[in-house]
């Protein structure tokens, strides 16, 4: 990944215990690594700070050759609500 990777988007939560084993992008081409403020292991693009979220969405749109949906149909993963119930 660090030497031949391309089009990678890595999102780690600020409070994610897995960050200790986080991947490094190294020389990966057209790739991004973001940290979601206050986020945990289930961090999503939606959890990123505004500037990072805009950059992540722009990258995915460029890779897909299309625009992201903005009609409110994108919903958080169900596990997020369960984690919030337990204070995560």
């Amino acid at each position: 990944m660090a030497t031949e990777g391309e089009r990678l988007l890595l999102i780690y939560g600020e409070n994610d215990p897995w960050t200790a084993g986080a991947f490094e992008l190294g020389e990966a081409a057209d790739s991004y690594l973001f940290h979601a403020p206050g986020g945990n292991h289930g961090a999503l693009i939606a959890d990123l700070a505004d500037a990072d979220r805009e950059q992540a969405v722009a990258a995915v749109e460029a890779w897909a050759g299309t625009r992201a949906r903005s009609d409110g149909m994108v919903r958080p993963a169900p596990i997020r609500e369960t984690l919030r119930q337990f204070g995560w």
Side-chain angles (χ1 to χ4, degrees), residues 17-85:
W18 287 57
T19 301
F23 285 103
E24 298 281 333
L25 287 178
E27 299 298 319
D30 195 16
S31 297
Y32 305 87
L33 184 141
F34 299 105
H35 290 91
N40 209 319
H41 191 62
L44 304 170
I45 290 175
D47 298 323
L48 296 173
D50 291 344
D52 288 345
R53 184 173 53 252
E54 289 174 15
Q55 187 176 17
V57 169
V60 173
E61 287 176 340
W63 299 337
T66 189
R67 300 270 312 172
R69 290 173 56 169
S70 61
D71 60 4
M73 296 301 294
V74 177
R75 294 182 175 82
I79 190 67
R80 296 183 61 77
E81 287 306 314
T82 302
L83 292 173
R84 285 189 178 127
Q85 289 175 0

